[in-house]
Amino acid sequence: MLRQDSSAGSPKAANRLKNSPSPLLVMALRIGALIVFVGSWETASSLKWINPFFVSRPSDIIFRAYTWLSSGYVLSHTAITIVETFFAFVLGALLGAILAFLLYRSSIVDQALMPYLMILNAMPRIIFAPIFILWFGLGLTSKVVLGISIVIFIVFFSIYTGLKEVDQNLINKVRLMGGSEKDVLLEVLIPSALSWLFSSLKTSVGFALVGAIVGEYMGSANGLGHIIAFAEGMFDATGVFAGLFILSFVVIAINWCMERVENHFTAWRMG
Amino acid sequence: MGIKAEGVSKLYETAGKRRQVLAVDGIDLEVDEGEFVALVGPSGCGKSTFLYMVGGFISPSSGRILVDGRAVTAPGTDRGIVFQEFALFPWKTVLDNVMYGLQEKGLRRKEAEATARRYLEMTNLQAFERVYPKELSGGMKQRVAIARTLAYDPKVLLMDEPFGALDAQTRVIMQDELLRVWQGTQKTVLFVTHSVEEAIHLADRVVIFTARPGRIKEIVPVDLPRPRSREVELFDRRYAELTSRIWRAVEEEVKKSMELRAATGVAP
């Protein structure tokens, strides 16, 4: 039963009270779930209920990650992955945005190219990784190109939709206030496009990273993907999990930064 | 700055001229400087099309429109338009929204800011200048849109159902605010609305459009004294007579347009 007090008078407030447990409890449950999972993994592996050769052990994984970090081994690889992600995102977003503006501005180009863009987007880009490595070598370029090939479509489709939905009245209004075509572009179209770019930021940066990692995994001498592939080649399960462990922190850090950037640039959307 | 329309028609054609729609047919209308004219008529009768032709967004198929004696060929700062859906810059604050047209006009930031603040005060928005449109109610958004339009001082105000998206109470308040502002500036106003009451409350003359193709069916002068108040209108016989006369004319056209739609199967 619910205790009734003045603030919980309305059905809505009562509902809220009933439905949201205390943050402390949530935190305790989260930590509890982690302890149960990691603890049973550690126990099962230590007692050889499951074969540590295949699944490793949390303590080994964390120790390995720590060794890699303290020796600096993993840092240069992480840096390379981030650089690849950065270029893949920036170039992919730029090309995607240009493409979106081109198709938005010219309906002939739109009608002519749209089916091909749909087909290209439907292809799983991961399959292209070996081909890009063949074309662009084992270095940074092939990973950036793979990332671009994914990011470009995400950005293209989100900006294209965004431009199509731009308030026509606002464009008319700008024209009536003495605005030129350049003003329409700078004051209406580009800000709209940017807002759509920022709202797809986390997805597109995420996929730029996927492009980099998969590219490295398929063939490279550097990067986090390479570390994971290398460990796998040595049948080193601990190395694979340690690589994934570090990678997940990189992803969380990037997501956190992107959220910051997104919130900063889309403050006007908040209610 | 008056408006003069001479035999203005608008014919829409699909590619290959397979389908033609005559939206507006032979409009002759003269609006004096400082006059407030309301356009009423059934949905799809071309009253908005006519308004956009005055704005310069759509060019007439035949005839011509003169604003202050010059033919309209393109949008320009001598005319200001207010849309039903506000059309604010969502990524600009209230103040920046109002300042836009002023800076476009070549005012320096300081001057633009001062002017914008004056109009925000006029529309009771001074406390919200740093806020984004998202945080405002519909009525407040429309006040921003009106302040933005008034700020760059167009001589002609074109209003396309500006209060159509507002709730009934806000609507009444906004109408009176518009009248107050208009009486202070004496701009020429063309006001498209669906509401006969709104048209009579606001306008010097009410232009009734026919069902498609839009022609002028009747022009009714509203010779009620200003300032007008709702309480007086409620008990004034002339107001009641005007309302029923205009409403009967509009109703006739609305029925025609519904029959037309039923016959052709074309949605509005």
Side-chain angles (χ1 to χ4, degrees), chain B residues 36 119 121-124 143 146-147 150-151 157 174-187 189:
Chain B
F36 197 128
Y119 283 93
E121 216 163 290
M122 189 190 268
T123 46
N124 289 321
R143 290 218 291 268
I146 291 172
L150 292 173
L157 271 185
M174 293 292 294
Q175 288 166 358
D176 290 336
E177 276 190 34
L178 174 65
L179 280 184
R180 181 173 58 78
V181 171
W182 169 70
Q183 268 151 357
T185 57
Q186 286 303 325
K187 293 185 190 303
V189 182

PDB file of all heavy atoms in Angstrom, chain B residues 36 119 121-124 143 146-147 150-151 157 174-187 189:
ATOM      1  N   PHE B  36      -7.603  47.213 -42.458  1.00  0.00           N
ATOM      2  CA  PHE B  36      -7.542  45.828 -41.990  1.00  0.00           C
ATOM      3  C   PHE B  36      -8.611  45.037 -42.737  1.00  0.00           C
ATOM      4  O   PHE B  36      -9.801  45.253 -42.548  1.00  0.00           O
ATOM      5  CB  PHE B  36      -7.813  45.784 -40.476  1.00  0.00           C
ATOM      6  CG  PHE B  36      -7.381  44.507 -39.816  1.00  0.00           C
ATOM      7  CD1 PHE B  36      -6.552  44.548 -38.695  1.00  0.00           C
ATOM      8  CD2 PHE B  36      -7.793  43.265 -40.274  1.00  0.00           C
ATOM      9  CE1 PHE B  36      -6.139  43.372 -38.067  1.00  0.00           C
ATOM     10  CE2 PHE B  36      -7.387  42.103 -39.653  1.00  0.00           C
ATOM     11  CZ  PHE B  36      -6.558  42.162 -38.549  1.00  0.00           C
ATOM     12  N   TYR B 119       9.970  45.543 -29.320  1.00  0.00           N
ATOM     13  CA  TYR B 119       8.828  44.764 -29.823  1.00  0.00           C
ATOM     14  C   TYR B 119       8.493  43.591 -28.913  1.00  0.00           C
ATOM     15  O   TYR B 119       7.349  43.189 -28.811  1.00  0.00           O
ATOM     16  CB  TYR B 119       9.074  44.307 -31.267  1.00  0.00           C
ATOM     17  CG  TYR B 119       8.849  45.440 -32.226  1.00  0.00           C
ATOM     18  CD1 TYR B 119       9.900  46.250 -32.643  1.00  0.00           C
ATOM     19  CD2 TYR B 119       7.568  45.765 -32.670  1.00  0.00           C
ATOM     20  CE1 TYR B 119       9.695  47.325 -33.487  1.00  0.00           C
ATOM     21  CE2 TYR B 119       7.346  46.825 -33.507  1.00  0.00           C
ATOM     22  CZ  TYR B 119       8.408  47.610 -33.916  1.00  0.00           C
ATOM     23  OH  TYR B 119       8.194  48.668 -34.752  1.00  0.00           O
ATOM     24  N   GLU B 121       8.725  43.808 -25.748  1.00  0.00           N
ATOM     25  CA  GLU B 121       7.972  44.454 -24.688  1.00  0.00           C
ATOM     26  C   GLU B 121       6.528  44.662 -25.137  1.00  0.00           C
ATOM     27  O   GLU B 121       5.587  44.412 -24.397  1.00  0.00           O
ATOM     28  CB  GLU B 121       8.618  45.804 -24.385  1.00  0.00           C
ATOM     29  CG  GLU B 121       8.600  46.189 -22.928  1.00  0.00           C
ATOM     30  CD  GLU B 121       9.602  47.289 -22.674  1.00  0.00           C
ATOM     31  OE1 GLU B 121      10.831  47.029 -22.737  1.00  0.00           O
ATOM     32  OE2 GLU B 121       9.161  48.426 -22.469  1.00  0.00           O
ATOM     33  N   MET B 122       6.384  45.108 -26.377  1.00  0.00           N
ATOM     34  CA  MET B 122       5.057  45.356 -26.931  1.00  0.00           C
ATOM     35  C   MET B 122       4.208  44.082 -26.908  1.00  0.00           C
ATOM     36  O   MET B 122       2.998  44.127 -26.736  1.00  0.00           O
ATOM     37  CB  MET B 122       5.209  45.866 -28.368  1.00  0.00           C
ATOM     38  CG  MET B 122       3.935  46.366 -29.013  1.00  0.00           C
ATOM     39  SD  MET B 122       4.199  46.642 -30.767  1.00  0.00           S
ATOM     40  CE  MET B 122       4.664  48.359 -30.790  1.00  0.00           C
ATOM     41  N   THR B 123       4.852  42.937 -27.075  1.00  0.00           N
ATOM     42  CA  THR B 123       4.116  41.673 -27.104  1.00  0.00           C
ATOM     43  C   THR B 123       4.243  40.910 -25.778  1.00  0.00           C
ATOM     44  O   THR B 123       3.974  39.712 -25.724  1.00  0.00           O
ATOM     45  CB  THR B 123       4.610  40.784 -28.263  1.00  0.00           C
ATOM     46  OG1 THR B 123       6.034  40.797 -28.257  1.00  0.00           O
ATOM     47  CG2 THR B 123       4.113  41.276 -29.589  1.00  0.00           C
ATOM     48  N   ASN B 124       4.692  41.617 -24.738  1.00  0.00           N
ATOM     49  CA  ASN B 124       4.786  41.036 -23.385  1.00  0.00           C
ATOM     50  C   ASN B 124       5.681  39.815 -23.302  1.00  0.00           C
ATOM     51  O   ASN B 124       5.349  38.818 -22.678  1.00  0.00           O
ATOM     52  CB  ASN B 124       3.396  40.660 -22.870  1.00  0.00           C
ATOM     53  CG  ASN B 124       2.583  41.881 -22.540  1.00  0.00           C
ATOM     54  OD1 ASN B 124       3.118  42.851 -21.995  1.00  0.00           O
ATOM     55  ND2 ASN B 124       1.314  41.849 -22.905  1.00  0.00           N
ATOM     56  N   ARG B 143       3.263  35.142 -30.599  1.00  0.00           N
ATOM     57  CA  ARG B 143       3.640  36.510 -30.246  1.00  0.00           C
ATOM     58  C   ARG B 143       5.057  36.807 -30.704  1.00  0.00           C
ATOM     59  O   ARG B 143       5.353  37.903 -31.176  1.00  0.00           O
ATOM     60  CB  ARG B 143       3.513  36.715 -28.731  1.00  0.00           C
ATOM     61  CG  ARG B 143       2.077  36.731 -28.252  1.00  0.00           C
ATOM     62  CD  ARG B 143       1.845  37.741 -27.159  1.00  0.00           C
ATOM     63  NE  ARG B 143       2.491  37.379 -25.905  1.00  0.00           N
ATOM     64  CZ  ARG B 143       1.899  36.675 -24.944  1.00  0.00           C
ATOM     65  NH1 ARG B 143       0.660  36.282 -25.102  1.00  0.00           N
ATOM     66  NH2 ARG B 143       2.543  36.393 -23.846  1.00  0.00           N
ATOM     67  N   ILE B 146       4.913  37.376 -34.362  1.00  0.00           N
ATOM     68  CA  ILE B 146       4.352  38.702 -34.682  1.00  0.00           C
ATOM     69  C   ILE B 146       5.367  39.793 -34.365  1.00  0.00           C
ATOM     70  O   ILE B 146       5.588  40.703 -35.172  1.00  0.00           O
ATOM     71  CB  ILE B 146       3.022  38.912 -33.921  1.00  0.00           C
ATOM     72  CG1 ILE B 146       1.944  37.979 -34.496  1.00  0.00           C
ATOM     73  CG2 ILE B 146       2.572  40.366 -34.021  1.00  0.00           C
ATOM     74  CD1 ILE B 146       0.644  37.958 -33.717  1.00  0.00           C
ATOM     75  N   ALA B 147       6.039  39.665 -33.212  1.00  0.00           N
ATOM     76  CA  ALA B 147       7.067  40.654 -32.856  1.00  0.00           C
ATOM     77  C   ALA B 147       8.159  40.664 -33.919  1.00  0.00           C
ATOM     78  O   ALA B 147       8.624  41.728 -34.338  1.00  0.00           O
ATOM     79  CB  ALA B 147       7.670  40.315 -31.491  1.00  0.00           C
ATOM     80  N   LEU B 150       6.757  42.474 -36.993  1.00  0.00           N
ATOM     81  CA  LEU B 150       6.589  43.911 -36.790  1.00  0.00           C
ATOM     82  C   LEU B 150       7.935  44.619 -36.674  1.00  0.00           C
ATOM     83  O   LEU B 150       8.083  45.763 -37.101  1.00  0.00           O
ATOM     84  CB  LEU B 150       5.764  44.174 -35.526  1.00  0.00           C
ATOM     85  CG  LEU B 150       4.296  43.763 -35.586  1.00  0.00           C
ATOM     86  CD1 LEU B 150       3.650  43.917 -34.214  1.00  0.00           C
ATOM     87  CD2 LEU B 150       3.543  44.597 -36.625  1.00  0.00           C
ATOM     88  N   ALA B 151       8.924  43.916 -36.088  1.00  0.00           N
ATOM     89  CA  ALA B 151      10.198  44.562 -35.773  1.00  0.00           C
ATOM     90  C   ALA B 151      10.878  45.140 -37.008  1.00  0.00           C
ATOM     91  O   ALA B 151      11.450  46.224 -36.948  1.00  0.00           O
ATOM     92  CB  ALA B 151      11.128  43.582 -35.062  1.00  0.00           C
ATOM     93  N   LEU B 157       1.043  43.796 -43.559  1.00  0.00           N
ATOM     94  CA  LEU B 157       1.090  42.555 -42.791  1.00  0.00           C
ATOM     95  C   LEU B 157       0.187  41.524 -43.454  1.00  0.00           C
ATOM     96  O   LEU B 157      -0.999  41.778 -43.663  1.00  0.00           O
ATOM     97  CB  LEU B 157       0.560  42.777 -41.375  1.00  0.00           C
ATOM     98  CG  LEU B 157       1.511  43.216 -40.279  1.00  0.00           C
ATOM     99  CD1 LEU B 157       0.761  43.254 -38.954  1.00  0.00           C
ATOM    100  CD2 LEU B 157       2.678  42.258 -40.184  1.00  0.00           C
ATOM    101  N   MET B 174      -5.102  36.998 -28.115  1.00  0.00           N
ATOM    102  CA  MET B 174      -4.189  37.373 -29.202  1.00  0.00           C
ATOM    103  C   MET B 174      -4.858  38.340 -30.183  1.00  0.00           C
ATOM    104  O   MET B 174      -4.223  39.253 -30.700  1.00  0.00           O
ATOM    105  CB  MET B 174      -3.722  36.129 -29.952  1.00  0.00           C
ATOM    106  CG  MET B 174      -2.841  35.212 -29.141  1.00  0.00           C
ATOM    107  SD  MET B 174      -1.226  35.916 -28.758  1.00  0.00           S
ATOM    108  CE  MET B 174      -0.516  36.018 -30.395  1.00  0.00           C
ATOM    109  N   GLN B 175      -6.140  38.109 -30.424  1.00  0.00           N
ATOM    110  CA  GLN B 175      -6.867  39.017 -31.342  1.00  0.00           C
ATOM    111  C   GLN B 175      -6.838  40.435 -30.802  1.00  0.00           C
ATOM    112  O   GLN B 175      -6.563  41.395 -31.535  1.00  0.00           O
ATOM    113  CB  GLN B 175      -8.318  38.558 -31.494  1.00  0.00           C
ATOM    114  CG  GLN B 175      -8.469  37.295 -32.306  1.00  0.00           C
ATOM    115  CD  GLN B 175      -9.847  36.679 -32.167  1.00  0.00           C
ATOM    116  OE1 GLN B 175     -10.691  37.181 -31.437  1.00  0.00           O
ATOM    117  NE2 GLN B 175     -10.067  35.582 -32.861  1.00  0.00           N
ATOM    118  N   ASP B 176      -7.120  40.570 -29.509  1.00  0.00           N
ATOM    119  CA  ASP B 176      -7.142  41.907 -28.937  1.00  0.00           C
ATOM    120  C   ASP B 176      -5.748  42.531 -28.910  1.00  0.00           C
ATOM    121  O   ASP B 176      -5.591  43.724 -29.120  1.00  0.00           O
ATOM    122  CB  ASP B 176      -7.775  41.872 -27.541  1.00  0.00           C
ATOM    123  CG  ASP B 176      -9.279  41.598 -27.642  1.00  0.00           C
ATOM    124  OD1 ASP B 176      -9.849  41.894 -28.710  1.00  0.00           O
ATOM    125  OD2 ASP B 176      -9.869  41.072 -26.684  1.00  0.00           O
ATOM    126  N   GLU B 177      -4.743  41.685 -28.677  1.00  0.00           N
ATOM    127  CA  GLU B 177      -3.372  42.207 -28.705  1.00  0.00           C
ATOM    128  C   GLU B 177      -3.008  42.676 -30.102  1.00  0.00           C
ATOM    129  O   GLU B 177      -2.377  43.719 -30.284  1.00  0.00           O
ATOM    130  CB  GLU B 177      -2.378  41.140 -28.251  1.00  0.00           C
ATOM    131  CG  GLU B 177      -2.256  41.086 -26.747  1.00  0.00           C
ATOM    132  CD  GLU B 177      -1.096  40.212 -26.314  1.00  0.00           C
ATOM    133  OE1 GLU B 177      -0.068  40.184 -27.012  1.00  0.00           O
ATOM    134  OE2 GLU B 177      -1.235  39.559 -25.273  1.00  0.00           O
ATOM    135  N   LEU B 178      -3.433  41.894 -31.089  1.00  0.00           N
ATOM    136  CA  LEU B 178      -3.139  42.278 -32.472  1.00  0.00           C
ATOM    137  C   LEU B 178      -3.796  43.620 -32.792  1.00  0.00           C
ATOM    138  O   LEU B 178      -3.177  44.499 -33.395  1.00  0.00           O
ATOM    139  CB  LEU B 178      -3.636  41.200 -33.438  1.00  0.00           C
ATOM    140  CG  LEU B 178      -3.510  41.550 -34.920  1.00  0.00           C
ATOM    141  CD1 LEU B 178      -2.035  41.685 -35.311  1.00  0.00           C
ATOM    142  CD2 LEU B 178      -4.173  40.505 -35.800  1.00  0.00           C
ATOM    143  N   LEU B 179      -5.052  43.781 -32.363  1.00  0.00           N
ATOM    144  CA  LEU B 179      -5.752  45.043 -32.619  1.00  0.00           C
ATOM    145  C   LEU B 179      -5.029  46.213 -31.952  1.00  0.00           C
ATOM    146  O   LEU B 179      -4.849  47.267 -32.557  1.00  0.00           O
ATOM    147  CB  LEU B 179      -7.191  44.973 -32.102  1.00  0.00           C
ATOM    148  CG  LEU B 179      -8.183  44.258 -33.006  1.00  0.00           C
ATOM    149  CD1 LEU B 179      -9.574  44.337 -32.417  1.00  0.00           C
ATOM    150  CD2 LEU B 179      -8.170  44.841 -34.425  1.00  0.00           C
ATOM    151  N   ARG B 180      -4.602  45.984 -30.726  1.00  0.00           N
ATOM    152  CA  ARG B 180      -3.905  47.043 -29.989  1.00  0.00           C
ATOM    153  C   ARG B 180      -2.621  47.443 -30.735  1.00  0.00           C
ATOM    154  O   ARG B 180      -2.369  48.625 -30.970  1.00  0.00           O
ATOM    155  CB  ARG B 180      -3.563  46.520 -28.587  1.00  0.00           C
ATOM    156  CG  ARG B 180      -2.855  47.500 -27.692  1.00  0.00           C
ATOM    157  CD  ARG B 180      -2.718  46.933 -26.280  1.00  0.00           C
ATOM    158  NE  ARG B 180      -2.010  45.653 -26.208  1.00  0.00           N
ATOM    159  CZ  ARG B 180      -0.676  45.536 -26.288  1.00  0.00           C
ATOM    160  NH1 ARG B 180       0.069  46.610 -26.408  1.00  0.00           N
ATOM    161  NH2 ARG B 180      -0.111  44.354 -26.226  1.00  0.00           N
ATOM    162  N   VAL B 181      -1.845  46.426 -31.139  1.00  0.00           N
ATOM    163  CA  VAL B 181      -0.599  46.704 -31.839  1.00  0.00           C
ATOM    164  C   VAL B 181      -0.871  47.372 -33.184  1.00  0.00           C
ATOM    165  O   VAL B 181      -0.216  48.342 -33.571  1.00  0.00           O
ATOM    166  CB  VAL B 181       0.201  45.394 -32.037  1.00  0.00           C
ATOM    167  CG1 VAL B 181       1.389  45.623 -32.950  1.00  0.00           C
ATOM    168  CG2 VAL B 181       0.655  44.852 -30.690  1.00  0.00           C
ATOM    169  N   TRP B 182      -1.879  46.877 -33.879  1.00  0.00           N
ATOM    170  CA  TRP B 182      -2.196  47.417 -35.204  1.00  0.00           C
ATOM    171  C   TRP B 182      -2.628  48.882 -35.087  1.00  0.00           C
ATOM    172  O   TRP B 182      -2.226  49.728 -35.883  1.00  0.00           O
ATOM    173  CB  TRP B 182      -3.307  46.590 -35.848  1.00  0.00           C
ATOM    174  CG  TRP B 182      -3.884  47.200 -37.088  1.00  0.00           C
ATOM    175  CD1 TRP B 182      -3.238  47.323 -38.296  1.00  0.00           C
ATOM    176  CD2 TRP B 182      -5.182  47.770 -37.251  1.00  0.00           C
ATOM    177  NE1 TRP B 182      -4.057  47.930 -39.206  1.00  0.00           N
ATOM    178  CE2 TRP B 182      -5.272  48.221 -38.593  1.00  0.00           C
ATOM    179  CE3 TRP B 182      -6.273  47.929 -36.407  1.00  0.00           C
ATOM    180  CZ2 TRP B 182      -6.419  48.833 -39.099  1.00  0.00           C
ATOM    181  CZ3 TRP B 182      -7.417  48.532 -36.917  1.00  0.00           C
ATOM    182  CH2 TRP B 182      -7.469  48.983 -38.237  1.00  0.00           C
ATOM    183  N   GLN B 183      -3.457  49.176 -34.059  1.00  0.00           N
ATOM    184  CA  GLN B 183      -3.902  50.559 -33.903  1.00  0.00           C
ATOM    185  C   GLN B 183      -2.739  51.489 -33.583  1.00  0.00           C
ATOM    186  O   GLN B 183      -2.778  52.667 -33.899  1.00  0.00           O
ATOM    187  CB  GLN B 183      -5.001  50.645 -32.831  1.00  0.00           C
ATOM    188  CG  GLN B 183      -6.370  50.520 -33.485  1.00  0.00           C
ATOM    189  CD  GLN B 183      -7.429  49.906 -32.587  1.00  0.00           C
ATOM    190  OE1 GLN B 183      -7.156  49.498 -31.466  1.00  0.00           O
ATOM    191  NE2 GLN B 183      -8.638  49.839 -33.078  1.00  0.00           N
ATOM    192  N   GLY B 184      -1.679  50.926 -32.948  1.00  0.00           N
ATOM    193  CA  GLY B 184      -0.498  51.728 -32.657  1.00  0.00           C
ATOM    194  C   GLY B 184       0.372  51.962 -33.877  1.00  0.00           C
ATOM    195  O   GLY B 184       1.135  52.921 -33.919  1.00  0.00           O
ATOM    196  N   THR B 185       0.298  51.076 -34.887  1.00  0.00           N
ATOM    197  CA  THR B 185       1.227  51.185 -36.013  1.00  0.00           C
ATOM    198  C   THR B 185       0.543  51.569 -37.312  1.00  0.00           C
ATOM    199  O   THR B 185       1.189  52.035 -38.233  1.00  0.00           O
ATOM    200  CB  THR B 185       1.938  49.839 -36.251  1.00  0.00           C
ATOM    201  OG1 THR B 185       0.933  48.838 -36.463  1.00  0.00           O
ATOM    202  CG2 THR B 185       2.793  49.442 -35.062  1.00  0.00           C
ATOM    203  N   GLN B 186      -0.775  51.334 -37.405  1.00  0.00           N
ATOM    204  CA  GLN B 186      -1.539  51.640 -38.622  1.00  0.00           C
ATOM    205  C   GLN B 186      -0.952  50.995 -39.876  1.00  0.00           C
ATOM    206  O   GLN B 186      -0.716  51.667 -40.881  1.00  0.00           O
ATOM    207  CB  GLN B 186      -1.677  53.160 -38.796  1.00  0.00           C
ATOM    208  CG  GLN B 186      -2.681  53.773 -37.824  1.00  0.00           C
ATOM    209  CD  GLN B 186      -4.085  53.150 -37.930  1.00  0.00           C
ATOM    210  OE1 GLN B 186      -4.513  52.784 -39.012  1.00  0.00           O
ATOM    211  NE2 GLN B 186      -4.773  53.002 -36.817  1.00  0.00           N
ATOM    212  N   LYS B 187      -0.691  49.700 -39.778  1.00  0.00           N
ATOM    213  CA  LYS B 187      -0.228  48.992 -40.965  1.00  0.00           C
ATOM    214  C   LYS B 187      -1.420  48.461 -41.748  1.00  0.00           C
ATOM    215  O   LYS B 187      -2.510  48.295 -41.193  1.00  0.00           O
ATOM    216  CB  LYS B 187       0.658  47.813 -40.551  1.00  0.00           C
ATOM    217  CG  LYS B 187       1.959  48.252 -39.919  1.00  0.00           C
ATOM    218  CD  LYS B 187       2.854  47.080 -39.644  1.00  0.00           C
ATOM    219  CE  LYS B 187       4.033  47.503 -38.790  1.00  0.00           C
ATOM    220  NZ  LYS B 187       4.828  48.591 -39.383  1.00  0.00           N
ATOM    221  N   VAL B 189      -3.337  45.470 -43.268  1.00  0.00           N
ATOM    222  CA  VAL B 189      -3.352  44.056 -42.897  1.00  0.00           C
ATOM    223  C   VAL B 189      -4.275  43.261 -43.817  1.00  0.00           C
ATOM    224  O   VAL B 189      -5.410  43.659 -44.069  1.00  0.00           O
ATOM    225  CB  VAL B 189      -3.811  43.845 -41.439  1.00  0.00           C
ATOM    226  CG1 VAL B 189      -3.762  42.367 -41.068  1.00  0.00           C
ATOM    227  CG2 VAL B 189      -2.978  44.658 -40.472  1.00  0.00           C
TER     228      VAL B 189
END
